[in-house]
Amino acid sequence: MSIRRLVSVFVFVGVVLGFGVPVSGVGGAVLPQGVISAGVSAMPNELGRVPILEYHQVGPKEERWTRSFENFRGDLEWLYNNDYRAVSIGDFAEQRISLPYGKKPVVLTFDDGGYTQLNFKNGKIDPYTAVGVMDEFLKKYPDFGPSAVFYLNNAPFKLVDDKAKAIEYLFSTGRQIGNHTMTHANLAKMSDSNVERELSRLDAYVRSFGFRDVDLSTLSYPFGGVPRGDGMKAMKKYVKLGLLVGADPASVPYSVNYDPYFVPRIQAIDSEWKRWFKREPRATSGSAAVLPFTPFVSDGNPDIITILSETGLKKTNVRKGVQVVVNGSLIKKTSSVRASVEDDRTLQISLEMKKERYPYEDCADPDAAAYIEYKKTGVLGERKVGFFDWSGIVSLPKTFLHFVRTMSRPEVVRGIYFTGSTATSDAGKRLVDKLLASGGNTVVVDINEGDGALNYGKPDHKPILRDIRANIAEWKGKGIYVVARIVAFKERVVSRARPDLAIRNVNGGVWRDNRGSVWLDPSNPQTVQYVIDMAKEASAMGVDEVQFDYVRFPTEGNLGAARFMFDASKKQKWEVIRDFLKEARTQLIPLGVPLGADIFGIVGWQPAPNYRTTGQRIECIAPYLDVIYPMGYPSHFGPGFGGHANPADEPYYFTWRTAQYFVDYAAGTGAAIRPWLQSFMYRVTIPYNSSYISEQIRGAFGAGSQGFVLWNAGNTYDVGWAVIGR
Ligand SMILES: [Zn+2]
């Protein structure tokens, strides 16, 4: 599989963090005033069911196959007053339901195409037809939406002269037509060739009126007759969805209960209105009763699917590029969200229910706890990734707090690390060729150096050491996934010009660690913006992902003399780092570039003492990251650590255990774990060869990691080539 393909299947998975508020107890009470209409009482639930109403004729008098004009008008009003809005059968089938927050989809279908559905009088639509009633209704309630689908056969609306005009009118007013077979045939009793003929001839018939590209790919089975065996096979060549005659609200296409060829409908007759909607005959408004089904309720964003935990979702199929948002109480019990691509159209998401622990409660950010506003920007971008800005039109209550983020690609990253000088050298070219020949697919490259110098030019930054822009373009041309590594807070260059951005010494001047390095102050908003700007510039250079290293406080040196901008009596270091990543995430979302961070391996093994000094608290930063890169190099655990004489000689165990801790702490956040692997000999006394690398790879995957990157400071990967692609 080429990398180009890898990039094209990039998907998003969002998660929602709840803060211990049970869903059932929320109601509408916490909704911000004035944002959501008073009529909305239901919480978003996009795994709920969609009523597909089945009409036949409409006429002056209510009869078995005829809905009276008066009742039909009443149906529309009742639907409108109960927050239903019309969606097309195509949008239903393609998972494109796009409604405002709190609104519920309904699909209106009309079978058999009689003249009571559509007719002309003095050249205009006859008001005493289904379309006439709907046109009148839409004048008053345009936001109900015009969609309605008419299932036709070879006598559209039983019209003599105006067949083409009728179909033209439907298309021009936002309605659809569908296949009801050429001769209103019972397909259940037909051979494959007859099924084929019934479906294809209608297509040809409609084209004969001069219509091109008419979508007849949805079918209403005449008499409810579903073809069998070979007939079914023949049918699937022509249609993607088949509607039954009864007798349920339909499950959505990404539900496990969905079968596209057995999509149920509800007949629009009084007894069924009563049964499914608790609606009294003639009632045109509100029903407070508990319904016998859970309706689909929109979250207001067509690119997100919001799912309630009580639906018991385990497995689902979602259109590529759609984001799945899982409610907080599900995350409580969910240890991982995995995604794999099934084919070009669908992405399979499975949620594994393992765990009751809910790690985020003490990470809760009081500002975010109220609600987050978001809206769709409308642009999906080159890589088909959706994104959001955080100010906008829709507000959601806190049980639906959305941290929408990229999910790591379902495919595996197999990468190596490049310094800026390797990147721009001939050696770098040879390494890239070697990487591709060996089955690797990713380069992590320094876009700034450990001393703060940038490896790219910009107007206010000269002289330039080197510019890796051309190299990035070249790699991408070869299909390589390019990750920009950014040293975040350790540096020397910037603080010379801007000492105010650095951590200060209580005795004056900038603070230095015991190696003489200067660190930028992560709690200084200007510093934060400086670092985020580097990430934005990297994104503009076309990298596929941004990765922060040294995203932490210094740990060595006279820490007592360090002075920060934040008030240490009110805030902890891990809150500062969390807030930094949250800000970075917020600013990077509109650019559609995923965000990763390099994290000390030890904070997985011994969290509390270490996150207090480094600020790296996995479960609190994971919600803002797409990828976490644990630095769990075996050699970085000293001799005797955990009773192991020389951890550097146990490449499998230390890689596996470290990754396992990270997988556990990040569970349910959607952040992928992708460890750095030790590709250097430090402290290694066993043979340092390809099996030293492959043992780490085995450990990484054994713990549930989604890929790995080899680290060698001098970019020498000779022992890795044999195993990097396996
Ligand atoms: Zn029919």
Side-chain angles (χ1 to χ4, degrees):
M1 178 181 280
S2 77
I3 306 288
R4 207 150 274 303
R5 159 94 178 131
L6 290 188
V7 172
S8 77
V9 295
F10 215 100
V11 297
F12 271 70
V13 168
V15 295
V16 181
L17 302 183
F19 291 97
V21 182
V23 171
S24 56
V26 171
V30 298
L31 298 179
Q33 283 282 318
V35 176
I36 291 151
S37 85
V40 176
S41 56
M43 302 294 282
N45 174 10
E46 299 186 323
L47 202 62
R49 290 198 283 168
V50 178
I52 300 178
L53 294 176
E54 176 185 341
Y55 287 94
H56 293 88
Q57 305 310 315
V58 183
K61 244 179 69 199
E62 183 85 9
E63 288 168 30
R64 175 63 190 93
W65 301 106
T66 303
R67 191 71 170 155
S68 75
F69 293 123
E70 193 192 343
N71 288 343
F72 180 49
R73 225 173 275 126
D75 294 349
L76 297 174
E77 286 205 19
W78 187 93
L79 289 168
Y80 186 84
N81 291 331
N82 283 277
D83 290 319
Y84 284 94
R85 298 293 181 265
V87 301
S88 76
I89 189 72
D91 284 352
F92 169 82
E94 290 298 317
Q95 309 181 22
R96 275 197 305 259
I97 292 175
S98 174
L99 292 176
Y101 177 95
K103 300 303 180 206
K104 297 174 262 186
V106 61
V107 181
L108 303 179
T109 73
F110 295 83
D111 280 12
D112 303 339
Y115 59 82
T116 70
Q117 293 173 1
L118 173 51
N119 201 352
F120 297 94
K121 199 174 179 182
N122 305 325
K124 294 194 165 156
I125 291 294
D126 183 345
Y128 289 97
T129 58
V131 171
V133 171
M134 284 192 284
D135 282 357
E136 199 56 38
F137 177 80
L138 286 166
K139 277 186 203 155
K140 200 170 163 193
Y141 305 103
D143 61 316
F144 181 74
S147 280
V149 55
F150 293 82
Y151 286 99
L152 304 179
N153 39 49
N154 65 1
F157 307 109
K158 310 287 185 286
L159 297 175
V160 182
D161 299 321
D162 292 331
K163 298 185 189 85
K165 189 176 165 189
I167 294 172
E168 178 62 42
Y169 184 80
L170 291 177
F171 291 158
S172 69
T173 52
R175 278 80 178 220
Q176 302 82 37
I177 65 173
N179 206 323
H180 200 42
T181 76
M182 187 68 175
T183 67
H184 202 270
N186 188 342
L187 300 178
K189 297 173 177 167
M190 285 190 153
S191 69
D192 53 344
S193 57
N194 285 342
V195 166
E196 204 162 329
R197 187 174 313 130
E198 280 292 341
L199 297 173
S200 63
R201 277 174 66 206
L202 184 73
D203 192 70
Y205 177 75
V206 172
R207 282 166 184 276
S208 74
F209 295 115
F211 297 106
R212 296 277 170 268
D213 302 319
V214 173
D215 181 6
L216 288 171
S217 65
T218 71
L219 165 73
S220 158
Y221 299 111
F223 313 105
V226 182
R228 305 195 186 107
D230 288 346
M232 173 63 96
K233 270 187 214 151
M235 178 185 77
K236 287 182 178 178
K237 282 191 258 173
Y238 291 93
V239 299
K240 63 183 179 197
L241 178 146
L243 291 170
L244 302 168
V245 166
D248 275 310
S251 295
V252 286
Y254 41 85
S255 160
V256 284
N257 299 320
Y258 179 76
D259 183 327
Y261 297 102
F262 292 86
V263 176
R265 288 187 288 180
I266 296 172
Q267 293 196 43
I269 56 179
D270 282 343
S271 58
E272 292 291 285
W273 281 109
K274 176 89 181 149
R275 175 179 170 205
W276 291 107
F277 302 101
K278 306 288 185 207
R279 176 189 173 204
E280 295 302 326
R282 309 319 145 238
T284 56
S285 66
S287 163
V290 177
L291 300 181
F293 72 100
T294 307
F296 180 110
V297 180
S298 174
D299 66 7
N301 188 326
D303 284 343
I304 298 182
I305 292 173
T306 296
I307 292 168
L308 291 177
S309 62
E310 61 257 42
T311 54
L313 175 79
K314 291 255 168 52
K315 209 174 173 192
T316 187
N317 290 294
V318 177
R319 184 163 52 88
K320 197 171 82 188
V322 167
Q323 309 170 32
V324 175
V325 174
V326 181
N327 149 304
S329 54
L330 180 59
I331 288 169
K332 274 187 183 180
K333 298 180 199 152
T334 300
S335 109
S336 60
V337 182
R338 286 171 200 286
S340 64
V341 171
E342 294 292 291
D343 57 47
D344 275 353
R345 202 181 79 86
T346 60
L347 158 75
Q348 188 165 88
I349 308 261
S350 49
L351 307 169
E352 292 180 9
M353 313 287 277
K354 275 191 203 157
K355 199 177 250 189
E356 295 294 329
R357 187 171 69 91
Y358 185 49
Y360 312 110
E361 268 129 13
D362 53 350
C363 305
D365 174 349
D367 296 335
Y371 57 89
I372 282 180
E373 296 184 331
Y374 71 87
K375 72 176 177 186
K376 187 189 168 227
T377 62
V379 183
L380 291 184
E382 237 188 337
R383 275 172 286 163
K384 306 269 185 238
V385 292
F387 48 82
F388 305 86
D389 65 36
W390 297 66
S391 62
I393 49 172
V394 178
S395 300
L396 296 175
K398 59 184 175 182
T399 42
F400 286 89
L401 202 58
H402 289 64
F403 294 98
V404 179
R405 88 274 282 322
T406 57
M407 176 80 172
S408 71
R409 300 167 308 156
E411 290 78 10
V412 162
V413 158
R414 299 170 181 273
I416 55 176
Y417 157 73
F418 270 17
T419 62
S421 63
T422 298
T424 48
S425 69
D426 287 344
K429 282 191 183 17
R430 288 192 294 273
L431 284 174
V432 163
D433 290 342
K434 195 86 187 167
L435 174 76
L436 290 171
S438 307
N441 56 21
T442 298
V443 166
V444 177
V445 61
D446 287 339
I447 70 147
N448 68 348
E449 296 292 308
D451 65 2
L454 302 185
N455 288 330
Y456 58 98
K458 52 178 187 171
D460 62 341
H461 184 84
K462 286 171 186 165
I464 306 155
L465 204 56
R466 56 183 78 85
D467 198 325
I468 60 172
R469 239 180 286 236
N471 305 98
I472 290 171
E474 191 185 321
W475 302 334
K476 284 183 64 72
K478 292 181 172 182
I480 288 180
Y481 186 73
V482 181
V483 180
R485 174 174 174 265
I486 297 171
V487 174
F489 296 120
K490 185 172 85 81
E491 76 93 49
R492 281 201 183 94
V493 173
V494 181
S495 54
R496 258 181 238 142
R498 293 287 307 273
D500 57 304
L501 298 183
I503 296 173
R504 313 288 297 169
N505 192 305
V506 287
N507 303 315
V510 300
W511 181 89
R512 288 175 188 278
D513 66 17
N514 56 10
R515 295 176 193 194
S517 293
V518 175
W519 289 70
L520 299 181
D521 182 351
S523 67
N524 180 332
Q526 290 187 3
T527 300
V528 164
Q529 195 54 52
Y530 171 76
V531 175
I532 293 172
D533 284 346
M534 280 193 281
K536 289 178 166 175
E537 285 153 12
S539 174
M541 284 187 258
V543 302
D544 296 295
E545 182 185 312
V546 165
Q547 177 199 85
F548 289 129
D549 197 2
Y550 291 89
V551 55
R552 62 176 175 88
F553 284 84
T555 54
E556 296 168 323
N558 182 8
L559 298 168
R563 201 177 66 205
F564 307 97
M565 200 168 264
F566 77 104
D567 181 348
S569 70
K570 296 204 174 109
K571 204 167 185 181
Q572 303 202 49
K573 284 178 178 170
W574 65 262
E575 292 174 296
V576 173
I577 297 299
R578 176 203 62 193
D579 290 352
F580 163 72
L581 289 172
K582 182 180 164 194
E583 182 60 28
R585 167 111 231 116
T586 304
Q587 293 193 34
L588 292 176
I589 280 173
L591 305 179
V593 67
L595 179 61
D598 300 336
I599 303 296
F600 274 149
I602 192 69
V603 302
W605 294 71
Q606 298 165 351
N610 287 300
Y611 71 63
R612 287 199 191 101
T613 53
T614 63
Q616 295 180 333
R617 188 169 180 185
I618 306 164
E619 71 273 30
C620 297
I621 60 178
Y624 304 105
L625 292 169
D626 302 291
V627 194
I628 299 177
Y629 293 84
M631 298 179 287
Y633 308 116
S635 64
H636 283 32
F637 299 91
F641 182 90
H644 295 259
N646 184 14
D649 287 345
E650 296 184 58
Y652 170 80
Y653 176 75
F654 279 89
T655 306
W656 169 77
R657 195 73 196 89
T658 302
Q660 187 70 66
Y661 280 127
F662 276 73
V663 165
D664 283 351
Y665 277 109
T669 66
I673 305 303
R674 196 182 288 159
W676 283 106
L677 302 186
Q678 175 171 346
S679 302
F680 48 88
M681 293 179 65
Y682 181 56
R683 281 179 174 162
V684 180
T685 65
I686 59 173
Y688 175 72
N689 53 24
S690 62
S691 80
Y692 191 84
I693 307 296
S694 65
E695 283 297 278
Q696 293 179 78
I697 294 174
R698 191 166 69 86
F701 287 135
S705 302
Q706 297 182 11
F708 58 86
V709 186
L710 307 186
W711 174 274
N712 180 285
N715 302 169
T716 303
Y717 299 105
D718 293 337
V719 299
W721 298 131
V723 294
I724 193 169
R726 291 215 307 256

